[in-house]
Amino acid sequence: MKEKKNILLEIILWISAIVFFVPIYYLLVSTFKSADAITNKPFALPKTLNISNYIVAWEKMTYPRAFMNTFIITACTVIFSLLIAAIAAYSITRHKSKFNKFAFTLVLAGMMIPGQVSLVTLYTLVQKLHLIDNVWGMVVINCGGNTILPLFLYKSFIATSIPIEIEEAAEIDGCNLMQKFMLVVLPMLKPITATIAIIVSLGVWNDYMNPMLFLQSRENATLILEVQRNVGQFSIDWVNMFPMLVLAVAPLAIFYLVMQKQIISGVVTGAVKG
């Protein structure tokens, strides 16, 4: 009976894998085809591996500039939001007070409010701060929206996976509050940090709404905005759209493959100790 269940589970997993792989297969094979081949034979293999579509897409989206803008926004958002969240989570977890409890409740309440509700207010504030069409302004905006979830996850991890006795031992050895956090707590947050980093990176790298609203010039455009330029009012340039999509998501896919060991480790650690 157990073997039959395992076989059934394996079949379900294979079907799920195929379902998820079909769109990826369609995207990849379409990058080497002409417009007629994409329309008439969408799932057929390309007759030749013609990379000219990638060359045209690279040039049309000015890839190095768009990639650098996206990388700066994503990397800085991940670094600053995770650092702020880690410090706040440590303070809330280890220094219990009415103020910290109220602050944490207030932060959690922010998770219940959809970001779209505050777009008008946010745009007015950003405009008054002269951060419109500014890459660093996007970093500030993203940090504000990507700190809540990391704060919640860090708080749970610190409370369940980092014994306070380790910090007490460090305090006996002469560490002050900042040294305890930087030298003891922060290195122990590595597993969960990898998991949070990929979650935040996915959201920021693939974000379309905020760049569309706050980045107006092409010099500051992100990869997603460059892809969107192929979507016209009456037609879509599919020949260029497919290779642009691959170029836009490839760096993030590589980052995920490199970090997957740490991500799985963080999830398992949280599941076992939480």
Side-chain angles (χ1 to χ4, degrees), residues 73 114-120 122-123 126 132-133 138 141-142 202-216 222-226 228:
I73 293 172
Q116 293 82 354
V117 174
S118 59
L119 278 178
V120 175
L122 178 62
Y123 187 89
V126 172
I132 296 292
D133 197 25
M138 278 299 306
I141 295 168
N142 287 330
L202 281 168
V204 177
W205 189 279
N206 295 323
D207 184 24
Y208 170 71
M209 181 175 293
N210 284 336
M212 181 191 66
L213 291 174
F214 300 109
L215 297 177
Q216 299 173 348
T222 60
L223 289 170
I224 297 300
L225 289 181
E226 289 295 338
Q228 187 269 341

Side-chain angles (χ1 to χ4, degrees), residues 47-101:
K47 295 181 179 179
T48 58
L49 294 178
N50 186 5
I51 64 171
S52 60
N53 291 345
Y54 281 96
I55 297 174
V56 174
W58 179 286
E59 294 174 349
K60 291 188 77 171
M61 68 191 304
T62 56
Y63 189 82
R65 173 191 52 75
F67 171 81
M68 188 54 63
N69 291 337
T70 309
F71 177 78
I72 291 173
I73 293 172
T74 304
C76 291
T77 299
V78 170
I79 293 171
F80 292 135
S81 61
L82 266 61
L83 183 60
I84 293 170
I87 294 173
Y90 177 70
S91 176
I92 292 172
T93 306
R94 292 296 189 242
H95 304 279
K96 300 184 184 299
S97 65
K98 290 183 178 180
F99 175 78
N100 281 350
K101 185 177 181 180

Side-chain angles (χ1 to χ4, degrees), residues 160-161 265-274:
T160 59
S161 303
S265 174
V267 173
V268 172
T269 301
V272 172
K273 295 187 178 181

Side-chain angles (χ1 to χ4, degrees), residues 82-96 150-167 180-181 184-193 196 269-270 273-274:
L82 266 61
L83 183 60
I84 293 170
I87 294 173
Y90 177 70
S91 176
I92 292 172
T93 306
R94 292 296 189 242
H95 304 279
K96 300 184 184 299
L151 171 61
F152 179 76
L153 296 177
Y154 273 135
K155 181 181 180 299
S156 300
F157 189 85
I158 292 172
T160 59
S161 303
I162 301 180
I164 195 170
E165 289 80 9
I166 297 178
E167 299 173 44
K180 282 195 301 180
F181 175 76
V184 179
V185 176
L186 198 58
M188 296 180 71
L189 293 176
K190 183 180 177 181
I192 192 66
T193 296
I196 298 173
T269 301
K273 295 187 178 181

Side-chain angles (χ1 to χ4, degrees), residues 22-23 25-27 29-30 33 37-46:
V22 167
Y25 167 80
Y26 175 68
L27 172 64
V29 298
S30 298
K33 295 180 180 179
I38 292 174
T39 303
N40 298 324
K41 299 179 179 180
F43 291 100
L45 289 171

